[in-house]
Amino acid sequence: ENGDCWRVYKYIDKVYTCNIIDSAEVFENAGRAFGEFQRQLSDYPIDSLFETIPKFHDTYSRFLDFMSAVKEDRAGRAEGVRELIDFAVARENDTHVLLDLIERGSLPLRVTHNDTKLNNVLLDAKTRKALCVVDLDTVMPGSSLFDFGDAIRYGASTAAEDERDLSKVEMSLERFRIFTRGYVRACPNLTARELELLPLGAKTITLECGMRFLTDHIDGDLYFAVHREGQNLDRARAQFKLAADMEKKWNDMQRIVAEETKA
């Protein structure tokens, strides 16, 4: 119309979305939805996809941006967050492992959603079964580990993304298990290497988000919307606490993936 393009969807009635996990069943169904999304597009020609946001999950590039922000320190906040800066710097190697494997061909490029929060799944209002995935504007080439990782970062955390009381922040192994179960069973074509690295996907995306929040705090809150002073800093602290908790539970995460893959 008038030279403009419109994207049209089938309207789906009697559904709902949620921001907070209200049952284990719902989170497992979300895992199934994103796994099914991955499975259905497994043979889609990657080369035909446009990179909507260049380097969106280039975690090493995010790390370099973070280090530049620390060096420039435009808002004079770096010295007050030195402990968090040190936490990120100590994990520099983690920021490029997945990218290196993709570059070497050890991990396949896939069609990825890149915003795998629970509220992007439509659930049947009566059965609570997942019907489909929505919000497709960030669909582009990437790794299945990015989608899995972001879902775990958001959904398996026991606290809000900007929780101030860090004693409340941890990664629920129960939630990790139920999402993993739904995801891997709905997407049986994941490679052995992808399955092995699912925990690293969760940690990598959690670190990435923490660095992005901390970068924005150091820059003076220029990118993410904030509704109170220090919100980006609280977000960064919560994400780093979550990543540290994943490190403590690493063996359990690997065991869960192995168990759910064989089941």
Side-chain angles (χ1 to χ4, degrees):
E1 182 183 16
N2 300 323
D4 294 327
C5 297
W6 295 80
R7 184 163 56 183
V8 180
Y9 296 95
K10 176 182 177 182
Y11 183 77
I12 302 176
D13 200 7
K14 298 178 181 178
V15 295
Y16 76 103
T17 63
C18 52
N19 290 311
I20 299 175
I21 298 167
D22 56 7
S23 72
E25 179 189 19
V26 163
F27 199 39
E28 182 176 345
N29 287 340
R32 289 184 183 277
F34 286 118
E36 180 68 11
F37 174 89
Q38 187 61 251
R39 185 194 66 78
Q40 289 182 338
L41 294 169
S42 60
D43 59 352
Y44 192 91
I46 297 290
D47 293 342
S48 68
L49 281 180
F50 179 75
E51 193 175 14
T52 313
I53 307 173
K55 296 187 176 182
F56 184 62
H57 279 317
D58 185 332
T59 310
Y60 186 60
S61 178
R62 299 287 191 184
F63 176 79
L64 295 179
D65 291 342
F66 160 70
M67 293 304 295
S68 294
V70 171
K71 183 177 181 179
E72 186 173 351
D73 195 17
R74 67 176 73 181
R77 294 175 171 179
E79 193 55 39
V81 294
R82 185 57 56 184
E83 184 178 352
L84 295 178
I85 293 171
D86 292 343
F87 181 92
V89 170
R91 288 156 180 81
E92 177 183 354
N93 288 339
D94 291 329
T95 67
H96 57 76
V97 172
L98 298 183
L99 299 171
D100 291 346
L101 290 171
I102 291 172
E103 186 175 346
R104 293 201 299 265
S106 299
L107 282 176
L109 268 182
R110 297 187 182 274
V111 179
T112 47
H113 185 278
N114 295 297
D115 192 12
T116 50
K117 293 191 288 290
L118 181 63
N119 58 13
N120 280 331
V121 176
L122 292 188
L123 302 161
D124 186 287
K126 183 177 291 186
T127 67
R128 300 203 291 187
K129 298 293 185 184
L131 296 180
C132 66
V133 169
V134 296
D135 195 11
L136 306 179
D137 57 302
T138 54
V139 171
M140 53 186 161
S143 169
S144 61
L145 304 181
F146 300 159
D147 278 0
F148 177 86
D150 199 30
I152 293 299
R153 177 195 73 83
Y154 184 82
S157 175
T158 57
E161 193 174 65
D162 60 351
E163 176 59 57
R164 291 174 169 175
D165 183 355
L166 294 182
S167 67
K168 297 179 179 179
V169 180
E170 62 177 283
M171 192 205 66
S172 164
L173 286 172
E174 179 186 6
R175 290 186 184 180
F176 179 82
R177 179 183 290 278
I178 59 179
F179 186 88
T180 300
R181 178 181 300 159
Y183 191 76
V184 301
R185 294 184 187 181
C187 188
N189 59 303
L190 294 176
T191 68
R193 192 71 165 130
E194 285 176 294
L195 293 170
E196 175 192 347
L197 293 171
L198 286 176
L200 184 59
K203 178 184 172 182
T204 299
I205 297 301
T206 304
L207 280 173
E208 179 183 297
C209 287
M211 287 189 300
R212 291 181 66 195
F213 289 138
L214 187 55
T215 298
D216 203 30
H217 171 75
I218 293 171
D219 281 343
D221 304 316
L222 302 177
Y223 182 80
F224 294 106
V226 292
H227 307 291
R228 56 176 169 78
E229 185 177 351
Q231 189 173 17
N232 271 325
L233 180 56
D234 292 333
R235 290 164 171 160
R237 284 175 172 152
Q239 295 306 294
F240 285 172
K241 172 66 186 300
L242 189 61
D245 193 56
M246 290 177 184
E247 292 173 346
K248 292 178 182 177
K249 297 172 177 175
W250 201 252
N251 291 338
D252 290 325
M253 294 169 71
Q254 292 179 314
R255 173 180 54 82
I256 289 169
V257 170
E259 290 172 353
E260 294 302 330
T261 301
K262 293 177 182 178

PDB file of all heavy atoms in Angstrom, residues 33-65:
ATOM      1  N   ALA A  33       8.554 -25.150  22.352  1.00  0.00           N
ATOM      2  CA  ALA A  33       8.223 -24.190  21.290  1.00  0.00           C
ATOM      3  C   ALA A  33       9.479 -23.693  20.587  1.00  0.00           C
ATOM      4  O   ALA A  33       9.538 -23.654  19.350  1.00  0.00           O
ATOM      5  CB  ALA A  33       7.445 -23.016  21.879  1.00  0.00           C
ATOM      6  N   PHE A  34      10.496 -23.321  21.354  1.00  0.00           N
ATOM      7  CA  PHE A  34      11.726 -22.826  20.730  1.00  0.00           C
ATOM      8  C   PHE A  34      12.512 -23.960  20.064  1.00  0.00           C
ATOM      9  O   PHE A  34      13.173 -23.743  19.049  1.00  0.00           O
ATOM     10  CB  PHE A  34      12.580 -22.094  21.764  1.00  0.00           C
ATOM     11  CG  PHE A  34      12.031 -20.739  22.133  1.00  0.00           C
ATOM     12  CD1 PHE A  34      11.631 -20.463  23.440  1.00  0.00           C
ATOM     13  CD2 PHE A  34      11.883 -19.749  21.176  1.00  0.00           C
ATOM     14  CE1 PHE A  34      11.117 -19.224  23.777  1.00  0.00           C
ATOM     15  CE2 PHE A  34      11.358 -18.502  21.510  1.00  0.00           C
ATOM     16  CZ  PHE A  34      10.974 -18.236  22.810  1.00  0.00           C
ATOM     17  N   GLY A  35      12.426 -25.174  20.625  1.00  0.00           N
ATOM     18  CA  GLY A  35      13.045 -26.312  19.975  1.00  0.00           C
ATOM     19  C   GLY A  35      12.356 -26.648  18.662  1.00  0.00           C
ATOM     20  O   GLY A  35      13.008 -26.967  17.660  1.00  0.00           O
ATOM     21  N   GLU A  36      11.025 -26.562  18.653  1.00  0.00           N
ATOM     22  CA  GLU A  36      10.263 -26.815  17.432  1.00  0.00           C
ATOM     23  C   GLU A  36      10.553 -25.756  16.381  1.00  0.00           C
ATOM     24  O   GLU A  36      10.669 -26.060  15.184  1.00  0.00           O
ATOM     25  CB  GLU A  36       8.769 -26.842  17.759  1.00  0.00           C
ATOM     26  CG  GLU A  36       7.844 -27.096  16.584  1.00  0.00           C
ATOM     27  CD  GLU A  36       7.952 -28.504  16.004  1.00  0.00           C
ATOM     28  OE1 GLU A  36       8.598 -29.363  16.638  1.00  0.00           O
ATOM     29  OE2 GLU A  36       7.401 -28.730  14.912  1.00  0.00           O
ATOM     30  N   PHE A  37      10.682 -24.516  16.814  1.00  0.00           N
ATOM     31  CA  PHE A  37      11.062 -23.428  15.911  1.00  0.00           C
ATOM     32  C   PHE A  37      12.400 -23.746  15.240  1.00  0.00           C
ATOM     33  O   PHE A  37      12.559 -23.616  14.030  1.00  0.00           O
ATOM     34  CB  PHE A  37      11.155 -22.124  16.717  1.00  0.00           C
ATOM     35  CG  PHE A  37      11.687 -20.936  15.950  1.00  0.00           C
ATOM     36  CD1 PHE A  37      10.827 -20.118  15.240  1.00  0.00           C
ATOM     37  CD2 PHE A  37      13.042 -20.624  15.960  1.00  0.00           C
ATOM     38  CE1 PHE A  37      11.312 -19.015  14.539  1.00  0.00           C
ATOM     39  CE2 PHE A  37      13.532 -19.528  15.261  1.00  0.00           C
ATOM     40  CZ  PHE A  37      12.657 -18.722  14.554  1.00  0.00           C
ATOM     41  N   GLN A  38      13.333 -24.220  16.041  1.00  0.00           N
ATOM     42  CA  GLN A  38      14.655 -24.578  15.518  1.00  0.00           C
ATOM     43  C   GLN A  38      14.559 -25.758  14.550  1.00  0.00           C
ATOM     44  O   GLN A  38      15.182 -25.769  13.482  1.00  0.00           O
ATOM     45  CB  GLN A  38      15.570 -24.925  16.697  1.00  0.00           C
ATOM     46  CG  GLN A  38      17.004 -25.164  16.354  1.00  0.00           C
ATOM     47  CD  GLN A  38      17.666 -23.962  15.733  1.00  0.00           C
ATOM     48  OE1 GLN A  38      17.966 -23.969  14.544  1.00  0.00           O
ATOM     49  NE2 GLN A  38      17.874 -22.925  16.515  1.00  0.00           N
ATOM     50  N   ARG A  39      13.762 -26.766  14.925  1.00  0.00           N
ATOM     51  CA  ARG A  39      13.647 -27.960  14.083  1.00  0.00           C
ATOM     52  C   ARG A  39      13.000 -27.632  12.740  1.00  0.00           C
ATOM     53  O   ARG A  39      13.462 -28.091  11.687  1.00  0.00           O
ATOM     54  CB  ARG A  39      12.824 -29.031  14.795  1.00  0.00           C
ATOM     55  CG  ARG A  39      12.757 -30.369  14.044  1.00  0.00           C
ATOM     56  CD  ARG A  39      11.690 -31.269  14.598  1.00  0.00           C
ATOM     57  NE  ARG A  39      10.366 -30.727  14.381  1.00  0.00           N
ATOM     58  CZ  ARG A  39       9.701 -30.767  13.215  1.00  0.00           C
ATOM     59  NH1 ARG A  39      10.279 -31.302  12.147  1.00  0.00           N
ATOM     60  NH2 ARG A  39       8.496 -30.257  13.119  1.00  0.00           N
ATOM     61  N   GLN A  40      11.941 -26.839  12.762  1.00  0.00           N
ATOM     62  CA  GLN A  40      11.215 -26.537  11.532  1.00  0.00           C
ATOM     63  C   GLN A  40      12.073 -25.762  10.531  1.00  0.00           C
ATOM     64  O   GLN A  40      11.880 -25.870   9.324  1.00  0.00           O
ATOM     65  CB  GLN A  40       9.944 -25.740  11.847  1.00  0.00           C
ATOM     66  CG  GLN A  40       8.859 -26.546  12.532  1.00  0.00           C
ATOM     67  CD  GLN A  40       7.608 -25.728  12.770  1.00  0.00           C
ATOM     68  OE1 GLN A  40       7.652 -24.503  12.806  1.00  0.00           O
ATOM     69  NE2 GLN A  40       6.484 -26.410  12.948  1.00  0.00           N
ATOM     70  N   LEU A  41      13.023 -24.985  11.053  1.00  0.00           N
ATOM     71  CA  LEU A  41      13.848 -24.158  10.178  1.00  0.00           C
ATOM     72  C   LEU A  41      15.251 -24.736   9.971  1.00  0.00           C
ATOM     73  O   LEU A  41      16.137 -24.046   9.485  1.00  0.00           O
ATOM     74  CB  LEU A  41      13.946 -22.741  10.752  1.00  0.00           C
ATOM     75  CG  LEU A  41      12.620 -21.966  10.776  1.00  0.00           C
ATOM     76  CD1 LEU A  41      12.749 -20.698  11.601  1.00  0.00           C
ATOM     77  CD2 LEU A  41      12.162 -21.637   9.369  1.00  0.00           C
ATOM     78  N   SER A  42      15.420 -26.000  10.335  1.00  0.00           N
ATOM     79  CA  SER A  42      16.760 -26.595  10.295  1.00  0.00           C
ATOM     80  C   SER A  42      17.329 -26.685   8.883  1.00  0.00           C
ATOM     81  O   SER A  42      18.550 -26.715   8.707  1.00  0.00           O
ATOM     82  CB  SER A  42      16.740 -27.986  10.933  1.00  0.00           C
ATOM     83  OG  SER A  42      15.846 -28.844  10.237  1.00  0.00           O
ATOM     84  N   ASP A  43      16.467 -26.739   7.866  1.00  0.00           N
ATOM     85  CA  ASP A  43      16.971 -26.821   6.492  1.00  0.00           C
ATOM     86  C   ASP A  43      16.754 -25.520   5.719  1.00  0.00           C
ATOM     87  O   ASP A  43      16.862 -25.486   4.496  1.00  0.00           O
ATOM     88  CB  ASP A  43      16.314 -27.988   5.744  1.00  0.00           C
ATOM     89  CG  ASP A  43      14.795 -27.865   5.675  1.00  0.00           C
ATOM     90  OD1 ASP A  43      14.242 -26.949   6.336  1.00  0.00           O
ATOM     91  OD2 ASP A  43      14.161 -28.677   4.979  1.00  0.00           O
ATOM     92  N   TYR A  44      16.465 -24.443   6.447  1.00  0.00           N
ATOM     93  CA  TYR A  44      16.251 -23.150   5.791  1.00  0.00           C
ATOM     94  C   TYR A  44      17.598 -22.609   5.292  1.00  0.00           C
ATOM     95  O   TYR A  44      18.599 -22.683   6.015  1.00  0.00           O
ATOM     96  CB  TYR A  44      15.616 -22.152   6.769  1.00  0.00           C
ATOM     97  CG  TYR A  44      15.098 -20.902   6.106  1.00  0.00           C
ATOM     98  CD1 TYR A  44      13.794 -20.816   5.656  1.00  0.00           C
ATOM     99  CD2 TYR A  44      15.919 -19.793   5.924  1.00  0.00           C
ATOM    100  CE1 TYR A  44      13.309 -19.672   5.047  1.00  0.00           C
ATOM    101  CE2 TYR A  44      15.456 -18.654   5.314  1.00  0.00           C
ATOM    102  CZ  TYR A  44      14.147 -18.591   4.874  1.00  0.00           C
ATOM    103  OH  TYR A  44      13.680 -17.452   4.266  1.00  0.00           O
ATOM    104  N   PRO A  45      17.657 -22.062   4.085  1.00  0.00           N
ATOM    105  CA  PRO A  45      18.934 -21.549   3.552  1.00  0.00           C
ATOM    106  C   PRO A  45      19.417 -20.314   4.319  1.00  0.00           C
ATOM    107  O   PRO A  45      18.882 -19.220   4.168  1.00  0.00           O
ATOM    108  CB  PRO A  45      18.600 -21.207   2.097  1.00  0.00           C
ATOM    109  CG  PRO A  45      17.115 -21.029   2.057  1.00  0.00           C
ATOM    110  CD  PRO A  45      16.556 -21.952   3.093  1.00  0.00           C
ATOM    111  N   ILE A  46      20.434 -20.510   5.135  1.00  0.00           N
ATOM    112  CA  ILE A  46      20.951 -19.438   5.995  1.00  0.00           C
ATOM    113  C   ILE A  46      21.392 -18.221   5.180  1.00  0.00           C
ATOM    114  O   ILE A  46      21.194 -17.072   5.582  1.00  0.00           O
ATOM    115  CB  ILE A  46      22.134 -19.960   6.839  1.00  0.00           C
ATOM    116  CG1 ILE A  46      21.675 -21.072   7.775  1.00  0.00           C
ATOM    117  CG2 ILE A  46      22.778 -18.830   7.628  1.00  0.00           C
ATOM    118  CD1 ILE A  46      20.790 -20.627   8.887  1.00  0.00           C
ATOM    119  N   ASP A  47      21.984 -18.467   4.029  1.00  0.00           N
ATOM    120  CA  ASP A  47      22.540 -17.374   3.229  1.00  0.00           C
ATOM    121  C   ASP A  47      21.479 -16.385   2.765  1.00  0.00           C
ATOM    122  O   ASP A  47      21.814 -15.256   2.383  1.00  0.00           O
ATOM    123  CB  ASP A  47      23.278 -17.931   2.009  1.00  0.00           C
ATOM    124  CG  ASP A  47      24.533 -18.701   2.392  1.00  0.00           C
ATOM    125  OD1 ASP A  47      24.996 -18.512   3.535  1.00  0.00           O
ATOM    126  OD2 ASP A  47      25.037 -19.487   1.573  1.00  0.00           O
ATOM    127  N   SER A  48      20.221 -16.798   2.779  1.00  0.00           N
ATOM    128  CA  SER A  48      19.157 -15.908   2.322  1.00  0.00           C
ATOM    129  C   SER A  48      18.656 -14.987   3.422  1.00  0.00           C
ATOM    130  O   SER A  48      17.825 -14.110   3.179  1.00  0.00           O
ATOM    131  CB  SER A  48      17.986 -16.731   1.780  1.00  0.00           C
ATOM    132  OG  SER A  48      17.348 -17.455   2.823  1.00  0.00           O
ATOM    133  N   LEU A  49      19.164 -15.173   4.646  1.00  0.00           N
ATOM    134  CA  LEU A  49      18.709 -14.362   5.774  1.00  0.00           C
ATOM    135  C   LEU A  49      19.555 -13.108   5.932  1.00  0.00           C
ATOM    136  O   LEU A  49      20.779 -13.145   5.777  1.00  0.00           O
ATOM    137  CB  LEU A  49      18.761 -15.164   7.068  1.00  0.00           C
ATOM    138  CG  LEU A  49      17.619 -16.147   7.335  1.00  0.00           C
ATOM    139  CD1 LEU A  49      17.851 -16.838   8.671  1.00  0.00           C
ATOM    140  CD2 LEU A  49      16.272 -15.444   7.351  1.00  0.00           C
ATOM    141  N   PHE A  50      18.909 -12.016   6.284  1.00  0.00           N
ATOM    142  CA  PHE A  50      19.579 -10.747   6.547  1.00  0.00           C
ATOM    143  C   PHE A  50      19.962 -10.683   8.020  1.00  0.00           C
ATOM    144  O   PHE A  50      19.195 -11.108   8.889  1.00  0.00           O
ATOM    145  CB  PHE A  50      18.642  -9.592   6.182  1.00  0.00           C
ATOM    146  CG  PHE A  50      19.223  -8.231   6.440  1.00  0.00           C
ATOM    147  CD1 PHE A  50      20.193  -7.701   5.610  1.00  0.00           C
ATOM    148  CD2 PHE A  50      18.786  -7.476   7.515  1.00  0.00           C
ATOM    149  CE1 PHE A  50      20.732  -6.445   5.844  1.00  0.00           C
ATOM    150  CE2 PHE A  50      19.313  -6.214   7.757  1.00  0.00           C
ATOM    151  CZ  PHE A  50      20.285  -5.702   6.918  1.00  0.00           C
ATOM    152  N   GLU A  51      21.137 -10.176   8.297  1.00  0.00           N
ATOM    153  CA  GLU A  51      21.572 -10.006   9.680  1.00  0.00           C
ATOM    154  C   GLU A  51      20.929  -8.732  10.232  1.00  0.00           C
ATOM    155  O   GLU A  51      21.431  -7.628  10.020  1.00  0.00           O
ATOM    156  CB  GLU A  51      23.097  -9.931   9.767  1.00  0.00           C
ATOM    157  CG  GLU A  51      23.619 -10.072  11.180  1.00  0.00           C
ATOM    158  CD  GLU A  51      25.136 -10.117  11.238  1.00  0.00           C
ATOM    159  OE1 GLU A  51      25.782  -9.780  10.234  1.00  0.00           O
ATOM    160  OE2 GLU A  51      25.664 -10.479  12.302  1.00  0.00           O
ATOM    161  N   THR A  52      19.815  -8.907  10.917  1.00  0.00           N
ATOM    162  CA  THR A  52      19.001  -7.774  11.365  1.00  0.00           C
ATOM    163  C   THR A  52      19.791  -6.803  12.231  1.00  0.00           C
ATOM    164  O   THR A  52      19.727  -5.583  12.045  1.00  0.00           O
ATOM    165  CB  THR A  52      17.793  -8.292  12.175  1.00  0.00           C
ATOM    166  OG1 THR A  52      17.178  -9.362  11.470  1.00  0.00           O
ATOM    167  CG2 THR A  52      16.782  -7.174  12.388  1.00  0.00           C
ATOM    168  N   ILE A  53      20.518  -7.340  13.199  1.00  0.00           N
ATOM    169  CA  ILE A  53      21.364  -6.525  14.081  1.00  0.00           C
ATOM    170  C   ILE A  53      22.780  -7.088  13.991  1.00  0.00           C
ATOM    171  O   ILE A  53      23.072  -8.118  14.607  1.00  0.00           O
ATOM    172  CB  ILE A  53      20.871  -6.553  15.536  1.00  0.00           C
ATOM    173  CG1 ILE A  53      19.390  -6.181  15.611  1.00  0.00           C
ATOM    174  CG2 ILE A  53      21.703  -5.607  16.407  1.00  0.00           C
ATOM    175  CD1 ILE A  53      18.789  -6.348  16.987  1.00  0.00           C
ATOM    176  N   PRO A  54      23.661  -6.460  13.227  1.00  0.00           N
ATOM    177  CA  PRO A  54      25.017  -6.995  13.057  1.00  0.00           C
ATOM    178  C   PRO A  54      25.730  -7.214  14.398  1.00  0.00           C
ATOM    179  O   PRO A  54      25.643  -6.384  15.300  1.00  0.00           O
ATOM    180  CB  PRO A  54      25.720  -5.909  12.230  1.00  0.00           C
ATOM    181  CG  PRO A  54      24.600  -5.244  11.475  1.00  0.00           C
ATOM    182  CD  PRO A  54      23.438  -5.247  12.418  1.00  0.00           C
ATOM    183  N   LYS A  55      26.360  -8.367  14.527  1.00  0.00           N
ATOM    184  CA  LYS A  55      27.142  -8.739  15.714  1.00  0.00           C
ATOM    185  C   LYS A  55      26.309  -8.747  17.001  1.00  0.00           C
ATOM    186  O   LYS A  55      26.827  -8.495  18.084  1.00  0.00           O
ATOM    187  CB  LYS A  55      28.341  -7.804  15.883  1.00  0.00           C
ATOM    188  CG  LYS A  55      29.351  -7.894  14.751  1.00  0.00           C
ATOM    189  CD  LYS A  55      30.596  -7.069  15.041  1.00  0.00           C
ATOM    190  CE  LYS A  55      31.636  -7.242  13.944  1.00  0.00           C
ATOM    191  NZ  LYS A  55      32.872  -6.502  14.212  1.00  0.00           N
ATOM    192  N   PHE A  56      25.031  -9.077  16.847  1.00  0.00           N
ATOM    193  CA  PHE A  56      24.136  -9.031  18.019  1.00  0.00           C
ATOM    194  C   PHE A  56      24.641  -9.938  19.140  1.00  0.00           C
ATOM    195  O   PHE A  56      24.690  -9.547  20.298  1.00  0.00           O
ATOM    196  CB  PHE A  56      22.716  -9.422  17.603  1.00  0.00           C
ATOM    197  CG  PHE A  56      21.719  -9.319  18.716  1.00  0.00           C
ATOM    198  CD1 PHE A  56      21.448  -8.104  19.319  1.00  0.00           C
ATOM    199  CD2 PHE A  56      21.042 -10.444  19.167  1.00  0.00           C
ATOM    200  CE1 PHE A  56      20.526  -7.995  20.354  1.00  0.00           C
ATOM    201  CE2 PHE A  56      20.110 -10.353  20.198  1.00  0.00           C
ATOM    202  CZ  PHE A  56      19.855  -9.125  20.790  1.00  0.00           C
ATOM    203  N   HIS A  57      24.987 -11.183  18.805  1.00  0.00           N
ATOM    204  CA  HIS A  57      25.524 -12.104  19.802  1.00  0.00           C
ATOM    205  C   HIS A  57      27.003 -12.397  19.556  1.00  0.00           C
ATOM    206  O   HIS A  57      27.479 -13.508  19.823  1.00  0.00           O
ATOM    207  CB  HIS A  57      24.718 -13.400  19.827  1.00  0.00           C
ATOM    208  CG  HIS A  57      23.445 -13.301  20.605  1.00  0.00           C
ATOM    209  ND1 HIS A  57      23.365 -12.675  21.833  1.00  0.00           N
ATOM    210  CD2 HIS A  57      22.192 -13.749  20.331  1.00  0.00           C
ATOM    211  CE1 HIS A  57      22.121 -12.741  22.275  1.00  0.00           C
ATOM    212  NE2 HIS A  57      21.394 -13.378  21.383  1.00  0.00           N
ATOM    213  N   ASP A  58      27.713 -11.399  19.065  1.00  0.00           N
ATOM    214  CA  ASP A  58      29.165 -11.501  18.985  1.00  0.00           C
ATOM    215  C   ASP A  58      29.696 -11.090  20.356  1.00  0.00           C
ATOM    216  O   ASP A  58      29.990  -9.920  20.609  1.00  0.00           O
ATOM    217  CB  ASP A  58      29.707 -10.583  17.881  1.00  0.00           C
ATOM    218  CG  ASP A  58      31.205 -10.734  17.651  1.00  0.00           C
ATOM    219  OD1 ASP A  58      31.917 -11.096  18.624  1.00  0.00           O
ATOM    220  OD2 ASP A  58      31.671 -10.484  16.530  1.00  0.00           O
ATOM    221  N   THR A  59      29.776 -12.067  21.243  1.00  0.00           N
ATOM    222  CA  THR A  59      30.089 -11.764  22.640  1.00  0.00           C
ATOM    223  C   THR A  59      31.468 -11.145  22.802  1.00  0.00           C
ATOM    224  O   THR A  59      31.683 -10.285  23.677  1.00  0.00           O
ATOM    225  CB  THR A  59      29.974 -13.037  23.497  1.00  0.00           C
ATOM    226  OG1 THR A  59      28.715 -13.673  23.228  1.00  0.00           O
ATOM    227  CG2 THR A  59      30.030 -12.707  24.981  1.00  0.00           C
ATOM    228  N   TYR A  60      32.418 -11.543  21.977  1.00  0.00           N
ATOM    229  CA  TYR A  60      33.747 -10.957  22.075  1.00  0.00           C
ATOM    230  C   TYR A  60      33.727  -9.488  21.648  1.00  0.00           C
ATOM    231  O   TYR A  60      34.384  -8.636  22.253  1.00  0.00           O
ATOM    232  CB  TYR A  60      34.755 -11.730  21.235  1.00  0.00           C
ATOM    233  CG  TYR A  60      36.179 -11.240  21.431  1.00  0.00           C
ATOM    234  CD1 TYR A  60      36.776 -11.283  22.692  1.00  0.00           C
ATOM    235  CD2 TYR A  60      36.915 -10.720  20.374  1.00  0.00           C
ATOM    236  CE1 TYR A  60      38.071 -10.823  22.882  1.00  0.00           C
ATOM    237  CE2 TYR A  60      38.213 -10.262  20.563  1.00  0.00           C
ATOM    238  CZ  TYR A  60      38.776 -10.314  21.819  1.00  0.00           C
ATOM    239  OH  TYR A  60      40.053  -9.853  22.023  1.00  0.00           O
ATOM    240  N   SER A  61      32.941  -9.166  20.620  1.00  0.00           N
ATOM    241  CA  SER A  61      32.787  -7.773  20.216  1.00  0.00           C
ATOM    242  C   SER A  61      32.150  -6.962  21.345  1.00  0.00           C
ATOM    243  O   SER A  61      32.530  -5.817  21.599  1.00  0.00           O
ATOM    244  CB  SER A  61      31.934  -7.688  18.951  1.00  0.00           C
ATOM    245  OG  SER A  61      31.740  -6.343  18.560  1.00  0.00           O
ATOM    246  N   ARG A  62      31.190  -7.570  22.024  1.00  0.00           N
ATOM    247  CA  ARG A  62      30.574  -6.903  23.184  1.00  0.00           C
ATOM    248  C   ARG A  62      31.617  -6.669  24.273  1.00  0.00           C
ATOM    249  O   ARG A  62      31.604  -5.634  24.959  1.00  0.00           O
ATOM    250  CB  ARG A  62      29.441  -7.761  23.736  1.00  0.00           C
ATOM    251  CG  ARG A  62      28.292  -8.022  22.775  1.00  0.00           C
ATOM    252  CD  ARG A  62      27.431  -6.802  22.564  1.00  0.00           C
ATOM    253  NE  ARG A  62      26.204  -7.142  21.861  1.00  0.00           N
ATOM    254  CZ  ARG A  62      25.296  -6.244  21.476  1.00  0.00           C
ATOM    255  NH1 ARG A  62      25.495  -4.953  21.720  1.00  0.00           N
ATOM    256  NH2 ARG A  62      24.203  -6.623  20.852  1.00  0.00           N
ATOM    257  N   PHE A  63      32.524  -7.635  24.445  1.00  0.00           N
ATOM    258  CA  PHE A  63      33.589  -7.479  25.437  1.00  0.00           C
ATOM    259  C   PHE A  63      34.513  -6.318  25.071  1.00  0.00           C
ATOM    260  O   PHE A  63      34.887  -5.508  25.937  1.00  0.00           O
ATOM    261  CB  PHE A  63      34.390  -8.779  25.550  1.00  0.00           C
ATOM    262  CG  PHE A  63      35.570  -8.690  26.485  1.00  0.00           C
ATOM    263  CD1 PHE A  63      35.396  -8.782  27.851  1.00  0.00           C
ATOM    264  CD2 PHE A  63      36.849  -8.503  25.989  1.00  0.00           C
ATOM    265  CE1 PHE A  63      36.479  -8.689  28.722  1.00  0.00           C
ATOM    266  CE2 PHE A  63      37.943  -8.414  26.837  1.00  0.00           C
ATOM    267  CZ  PHE A  63      37.755  -8.506  28.207  1.00  0.00           C
ATOM    268  N   LEU A  64      34.876  -6.214  23.793  1.00  0.00           N
ATOM    269  CA  LEU A  64      35.744  -5.118  23.353  1.00  0.00           C
ATOM    270  C   LEU A  64      35.052  -3.766  23.533  1.00  0.00           C
ATOM    271  O   LEU A  64      35.693  -2.782  23.931  1.00  0.00           O
ATOM    272  CB  LEU A  64      36.150  -5.325  21.897  1.00  0.00           C
ATOM    273  CG  LEU A  64      37.012  -6.554  21.614  1.00  0.00           C
ATOM    274  CD1 LEU A  64      37.315  -6.658  20.120  1.00  0.00           C
ATOM    275  CD2 LEU A  64      38.319  -6.510  22.412  1.00  0.00           C
ATOM    276  N   ASP A  65      33.738  -3.719  23.253  1.00  0.00           N
ATOM    277  CA  ASP A  65      32.982  -2.484  23.489  1.00  0.00           C
ATOM    278  C   ASP A  65      32.998  -2.122  24.972  1.00  0.00           C
ATOM    279  O   ASP A  65      33.123  -0.944  25.344  1.00  0.00           O
ATOM    280  CB  ASP A  65      31.534  -2.653  23.017  1.00  0.00           C
ATOM    281  CG  ASP A  65      31.421  -2.744  21.508  1.00  0.00           C
ATOM    282  OD1 ASP A  65      32.369  -2.351  20.804  1.00  0.00           O
ATOM    283  OD2 ASP A  65      30.362  -3.210  21.029  1.00  0.00           O
TER     284      ASP A  65
END
